[in-house]
Amino acid sequence: MDTPDNRSIKIIFNPATRGGKAKKKLPKIEKLLKEIDIDYQLFETTAPLDAISMAEDAKKEGFNVVCSLGGDGTAHEVGNGAIRAGLTFASIPIGSGNDFVGGLGIDGRWQDGVSNLQDGEIKEISIVKANDRYSINILDAGIGGDIAKASEKHLKWITGSKKYSLLTIALLTRHKPYPVKLTIDGKEENCNLNLIAAGFGQTFGSGMNVLPGARFNHDKMSVAIIHDIGKFKFLRLFPKVFSAKHVEETKYVTMIRASEIIIEPDESHNKVLRGEAEGELFSEGRIKITAIPKGMKVLTPKDWDFNNRSVKIK
């Protein structure tokens, strides 16, 4: 049985978080960890995807909790390793985007993440598997994947929703929709797609409320599909995502729930369909997305409620 007294925690720190600036917080974080007598060891990543294998190795090293110290990208990697190893995931948020842990009741203050290691309780949440990668919050394909690709090279000095917004505007100047075949729970449809987002979290991109009806205790993932609506209509629609008012634009946006989605690009068109999860690229081409109910154990504040926010969708 898990209790705060028997938690042995492997903390995985990404020193590249916030362009390396987050490292300045490390002494204060470790000071608080020691003050409240957390049993932990700290490890630093040295390359992309390091955190996946480091988290996966934690079980054989004797740890029963793996903790992400970074932003959503670090949480994505640590979460993937935790799922594969069957370990409990926790997070101390210090990134520019902390949507996932925010959805779990930690408001973005690293102090709350540290306290949660001592006082939190384990809950099971639903997740999504896309090809060979897990998404612990929200994944998307289409222009969102192109934005994730562009963010690796451009506007590195800008973070959060401002960066996402600027890259969206820049990419829309030459953007064309993606001809795909969508198979949703066995039902096929050929369409021109701008973006499809799926998951059990509600927000991504530092506060974009793309799946307002999602819950981490649902069996089916929430899905938002933005169709081919033209560049200018897309630009008018984009700001509404922050307030979840895009769900009212039923002519252009489809909101559903599903257990399985297969996205197959039309190979006769010379356009790469990219997928990303928690800001991390994971695929180019065909994507199979599967809901996994109660697929992950997470450490959450005791008063956290699965139903803390609600927008009704079909």
Side-chain angles (χ1 to χ4, degrees):
M1 181 178 178
D2 172 82
T3 66
D5 292 334
N6 67 13
R7 286 176 187 161
S8 179
I9 303 169
K10 181 175 184 177
I11 299 177
I12 300 173
F13 170 56
N14 179 6
T17 301
R18 285 186 174 270
K21 295 178 181 178
K23 197 163 188 176
K24 295 178 181 179
K25 297 181 179 180
L26 201 53
K28 291 182 179 179
I29 293 170
E30 289 212 80
K31 182 174 182 290
L32 182 56
L33 285 164
K34 291 169 182 175
E35 283 178 357
I36 62 177
D37 199 26
I38 298 294
D39 178 14
Y40 79 96
Q41 291 185 46
L42 181 72
F43 299 80
E44 290 192 15
T45 62
T46 59
L49 304 182
D50 261 6
I52 296 178
S53 57
M54 291 171 72
E56 199 169 359
D57 290 342
K59 188 172 186 177
K60 64 184 180 184
E61 294 168 344
F63 299 99
N64 52 26
V65 177
V66 284
C67 176
S68 164
L69 180 54
D72 277 338
T74 309
H76 168 82
E77 291 191 20
V78 174
N80 267 261
I83 293 162
R84 294 174 187 179
L87 294 175
T88 298
F89 170 90
S91 179
I92 301 172
I94 55 171
S96 57
N98 300 301
D99 291 281
F100 175 58
V101 294
L104 296 178
I106 300 172
D107 66 3
R109 295 177 68 249
W110 64 261
Q111 294 90 338
D112 294 332
V114 172
S115 297
N116 189 51
L117 295 179
Q118 183 182 54
D119 302 327
E121 61 183 20
I122 294 176
K123 291 187 175 74
E124 291 181 321
I125 65 168
S126 299
I127 55 172
V128 166
K129 187 174 185 181
N131 295 351
D132 62 350
R133 192 77 67 87
Y134 295 98
S135 171
I136 58 178
N137 187 47
I138 299 172
L139 66 84
D140 67 278
I143 192 170
D146 291 344
I147 291 168
K149 179 72 173 178
S151 70
E152 294 178 345
K153 296 182 179 180
H154 305 292
L155 302 181
K156 290 187 176 182
W157 62 93
I158 303 175
T159 59
S161 60
K162 183 181 290 186
K163 181 176 183 177
Y164 195 99
S165 298
L166 289 172
L167 287 173
T168 299
I169 294 168
L171 288 175
L172 274 175
T173 60
R174 59 182 185 275
H175 173 71
K176 292 182 180 180
Y178 309 83
V180 300
K181 180 173 79 173
L182 281 180
T183 306
I184 302 175
D185 289 340
K187 184 178 179 180
E188 295 182 0
E189 174 190 358
N190 292 305
C191 64
N192 289 323
L193 182 73
N194 268 315
L195 180 141
I196 181 168
F200 292 93
Q202 295 180 2
T203 68
F204 70 168
S206 297
M208 298 174 63
N209 200 356
V210 67
L211 299 176
R215 295 292 180 277
F216 284 113
N217 62 344
H218 284 170
D219 290 336
K220 291 188 175 185
M221 57 189 156
S222 290
V223 183
I225 303 170
I226 301 179
H227 305 282
D228 178 14
I229 61 175
K231 298 174 184 177
F232 295 108
K233 287 180 181 177
F234 192 99
L235 277 173
R236 288 200 298 269
L237 178 69
F238 177 69
K240 296 183 179 182
V241 178
F242 289 92
S243 60
K245 290 185 178 180
H246 64 290
V247 302
E248 300 170 2
E249 302 289 342
T250 55
K251 185 177 179 180
Y252 311 121
V253 181
T254 300
M255 305 293 294
I256 59 172
R257 292 196 177 103
S259 296
E260 182 184 87
I261 301 170
I262 300 173
I263 312 168
E264 297 174 277
D266 185 339
E267 294 182 357
S268 66
H269 290 72
N270 186 24
K271 189 166 179 64
V272 178
L273 179 73
R274 296 183 175 91
E276 68 89 16
E278 292 81 62
E280 302 297 307
L281 285 167
F282 67 85
S283 174
E284 291 187 354
R286 183 182 186 272
I287 305 172
K288 181 179 179 181
I289 307 168
T290 307
I292 305 178
K294 297 182 179 180
M296 182 181 188
K297 294 182 292 184
V298 296
L299 204 57
T300 73
K302 288 182 179 179
D303 58 353
W304 177 68
D305 184 355
F306 282 107
N307 299 302
N308 56 352
R309 288 171 287 185
S310 179
V311 173
K312 188 176 181 180
I313 64 173
K314 293 180 181 179

